[in-house]
Amino acid sequence: MLDLTYELPKPKVISGAKHDWELVIGLEVHAQVSSNAKLFSGASTQFGAEPNSNVAFVDAAMPGMLPVINEYCVEQAVRTGLGLKAEINLKSAFDRKNYFYPDLPQGYQISQLYHPIVGEGEVLVELGNGLARNVRIERIHMEQDAGKSIHDMDPNMSFVDLNRVGVCLMEIVSRPDIRGPEEAAAFVGKLRQIMRYLGTCDGNMQNGNMRADVNVSICRPGQYEKYQETQDFSHLGTRCEIKNMNSMRFIQQAIEVEARRQIAIVEAGGTVDQETRLYDVEKGETRSMRSKEEAHDYRYFPDPDLLPLEIEQEWVDQIAATLPELPDAKKLRFISDFGLSDYDASVLTADVESAAYFEAVAEGRNGKLAANWVINELFGRLKADDKDISNCPVTPAQLGGVIELISADTISGKIAKDLFEIVYTEGGDPAQIVEERGMKQVTDTGAIESALDQIIADNPAQVEKAKVNPKLAGWFVGQVMKATGGKANPKAVNQLVAQKLGE
């Protein structure tokens, strides 16, 4: 297996009125666990159901109702931790985080502050051009989601939908290792990619199944290195948290806006208050939501209704044995086995469905040619038609058949594109289509030579020009291809043109 080598990207630098400033960013990513039932009840997690239809008595905090932990949610959290090369804690515990919110019926959230299920891990975030950063994961803990308040259905009232209450979330907390807006978005994207491979979260940010709280602070150049040496946060600026970001683009915009706000405050002689803020997309600004609470403000204490969670190492090992090949390993194997470039391998492993499709096409065939057709022809056409690989009209066997015909010189590249269009729109077996519609490439050099001789005879002036400037020989190649309806073997045509004009 190849080693993944990379260089560290430079930190984002923003020029203030007086000084240059660098960014320091940490993220708390909330990922909804892919499961049919909630963390502490058997209620459905189906998205888009009628409001307040997926609510069990325990979700609604009815008196006397006790939570019962969903083992599958625990398994999904362990699976995610293993996928992030993290330590799995065999003993963990649930706490109550007390705060009032209209869509939180219990008046507290069951979470894991002091004893999370997953400890330290890491994620390699690639940024292209050989740049990457290893971002440390501090912890992953499980917690129940709150409901949803709806404010735009009536001018005088707000409504509450409790369908989401009790859905299992994994909160993935990074260290402050991220140094720019693009890195932050790439980190969230890499987490989503890994969890999709694992099947632990679908990463659908539009539905709220994955969202991020972004912690942003600023520091002068050189201060971050002092923090790394000492782990003393006093070398860094005061951080502010931007809450509930559900778009890669908005994450980047919010970080830039918030950093400039902090720079302006500090350079004016003020101090940045630690607080939670919201990003206003329309105004392009962050605004204060509430002062940043500490753990004691939430009156955390162990949940009396739930015993400490103890799992067996043997069970963890069984889960580890079922892990799929993850994106980094798959990318390196594609580079090694199929001779792909770093870029092509990255595109093909971006999601698990695309990777599986490509591998089926490339199996036993020319890997580079397969990659070229999947990325350029197939993905390009799917994008134009607003489709994805899940509803692709061309099967791997059909595209593989086109590639086999190219490799066998049965059809030319131009004919292959026409054939792909037929298969894409009409379906059918590529080899049979070529046979029935007379699309085979002309490899008979006698027929090609005859066509070329006629073109040379009809264009003596062009012949003389080509003999003086060999670059003009391409004109004859084009004329032969035109005369044969694009069916002539391009390699044979080029060889004959070179031979004839060199005489």
Side-chain angles (χ1 to χ4, degrees), residues 371-384:
N372 181 56
W373 272 85
V374 170
I375 293 171
N376 296 319
E377 300 300 328
L378 182 67
F379 286 178
R381 181 59 187 272
L382 290 175
K383 184 177 181 180

Side-chain angles (χ1 to χ4, degrees), residues 39-40 93-97 108-116 139 141-144 169 171 300-303 306:
L39 181 55
F40 299 117
F94 288 97
D95 307 293
R96 287 188 180 181
K97 177 183 181 182
Y108 59 83
Q109 178 189 42
I110 302 177
S111 185
Q112 292 185 312
L113 175 67
Y114 300 110
H115 304 286
R139 55 191 275 139
H141 63 260
M142 292 184 292
E143 62 185 23
Q144 57 179 171
L169 294 179
E171 181 168 337
Y300 275 98
F301 62 86
D303 192 297
L306 290 161

Side-chain angles (χ1 to χ4, degrees), residues 324-369:
E325 184 180 38
L326 293 174
D328 289 343
K330 191 178 290 289
K331 174 184 171 181
L332 291 174
R333 182 170 62 82
F334 279 10
I335 292 172
S336 176
D337 291 358
F338 299 112
L340 304 187
S341 67
D342 184 278
Y343 173 80
D344 285 353
S346 295
V347 172
L348 292 168
T349 56
D351 63 78
V352 67
E353 292 86 3
S354 295
Y357 185 99
F358 162 74
E359 196 154 12
V361 173
E363 186 65 34
R365 303 183 179 100
N366 184 315
K368 288 185 177 180
L369 185 60

Side-chain angles (χ1 to χ4, degrees), residues 397-402 405 419 423 428-435:
Q398 287 175 316
L399 185 55
V402 174
L405 292 168
L419 175 60
V423 173
D429 176 63
Q432 188 175 349
I433 293 170
V434 166
E435 190 68 38

Side-chain angles (χ1 to χ4, degrees), residues 346-467:
S346 295
V347 172
L348 292 168
T349 56
D351 63 78
V352 67
E353 292 86 3
S354 295
Y357 185 99
F358 162 74
E359 196 154 12
V361 173
E363 186 65 34
R365 303 183 179 100
N366 184 315
K368 288 185 177 180
L369 185 60
N372 181 56
W373 272 85
V374 170
I375 293 171
N376 296 319
E377 300 300 328
L378 182 67
F379 286 178
R381 181 59 187 272
L382 290 175
K383 184 177 181 180
D385 291 349
D386 197 25
K387 294 181 178 180
D388 57 37
I389 204 71
S390 65
N391 55 7
C392 176
V394 180
T395 68
Q398 287 175 316
L399 185 55
V402 174
I403 290 167
E404 286 177 0
L405 292 168
I406 299 170
S407 298
D409 280 338
T410 304
I411 58 175
S412 65
K414 181 181 182 303
I415 295 174
K417 291 188 177 184
D418 295 337
L419 175 60
F420 174 81
E421 179 65 21
I422 294 170
V423 173
Y424 187 94
T425 55
E426 302 175 23
D429 176 63
Q432 188 175 349
I433 293 170
V434 166
E435 190 68 38
E436 292 176 350
R437 304 196 186 189
M439 300 174 72
K440 281 187 177 180
Q441 185 170 238
V442 177
T443 56
D444 179 2
T445 55
I448 296 172
E449 186 173 10
S450 175
L452 176 58
D453 286 342
Q454 186 62 51
I455 292 167
I456 288 174
D458 293 343
N459 299 276
Q462 194 70 20
V463 172
E464 293 305 316
K465 291 179 182 179
K467 287 183 176 180

Side-chain angles (χ1 to χ4, degrees), residues 135-154:
V135 177
R136 295 170 297 164
I137 301 298
E138 179 181 321
R139 55 191 275 139
I140 303 176
H141 63 260
M142 292 184 292
E143 62 185 23
Q144 57 179 171
D145 206 350
K148 183 179 181 181
S149 296
I150 303 167
H151 307 293
D152 56 1
M153 291 180 64
D154 188 282

Side-chain angles (χ1 to χ4, degrees), residues 58-62 96-110 144 146 162 165 297-299 301:
V58 69
D59 304 324
M62 292 296 177
R96 287 188 180 181
K97 177 183 181 182
N98 293 272
Y99 65 97
F100 172 78
Y101 213 69
D103 53 21
L104 192 65
Q106 295 161 308
Y108 59 83
Q109 178 189 42
I110 302 177
Q144 57 179 171
L162 299 181
V165 168
D297 294 315
Y298 289 115
R299 294 185 297 114
F301 62 86

